[in-house]
Amino acid sequence: MDEKQAVRALAALGQSVRLKVFRALVVAGESGLTPGTISDALGIPAATLSFHLKELAGAGLVRQERASRHRIYRADYEAMNALLLYLTDHCCEGTVCIDVPVVTCDTGRTMVEDD
């Protein structure tokens, strides 16, 4: 990940609705979520959600696929891990001081609102 990509991803996550949506998609794992499920769970109107999903996708943080008549959105774990690695790449005076765990998508958790 380069600086431009990191700035775009951080800008996308710097908005509260997008952060909630992204966190919900991370919790959902590889099964992903439909826009209707996200909208219902987070109380976000469909048109507003569509805008925010487009911003997250444009930042490379979520991916979308069609399944029959439905769209399924998933967090892009590779992009998320790349952002985390970019942010911690030169910590501790330029040496690697911690191992940043690679996050996988099989959480087994269910989607919840903010803690």
Side-chain angles (χ1 to χ4, degrees), residues 1 5 9 22 26 30 59-63 74-86 100-105:
M1 174 167 287
Q5 292 169 313
F22 183 74
V26 168
E30 260 317 298
L61 294 169
V62 301
R63 40 192 175 86
R74 292 178 181 85
D76 187 325
Y77 290 93
E78 187 175 315
M80 181 181 72
N81 286 324
L83 178 60
L84 292 172
L85 289 172
Y86 179 84
V100 176
V102 174
V103 180
T104 60
C105 62

Side-chain angles (χ1 to χ4, degrees), residues 21 24 30 39 41 47-49 54 57-59 62 72 76 89 91 110 114:
V21 170
E30 260 317 298
S39 178
T48 302
L49 178 61
K54 181 180 174 187
V62 301
I72 306 293
D76 187 325
D89 187 39
C91 70
T110 57
D114 273 10

Side-chain angles (χ1 to χ4, degrees), residues 21 24 27 30 36 61 65 69 72 84-85 90 92 95 99 104 111:
V21 170
V27 170
E30 260 317 298
L61 294 169
E65 92 176 37
R69 299 178 300 142
I72 306 293
L84 292 172
L85 289 172
H90 297 293
C92 300
T95 63
D99 288 326
T104 60
M111 184 172 65

Side-chain angles (χ1 to χ4, degrees), residues 35-36 38-40 43-54 71 73:
I38 300 168
S39 178
D40 291 345
I44 302 168
T48 302
L49 178 61
S50 178
F51 169 78
H52 291 300
L53 286 169
K54 181 180 174 187
R71 284 177 290 163
Y73 286 87

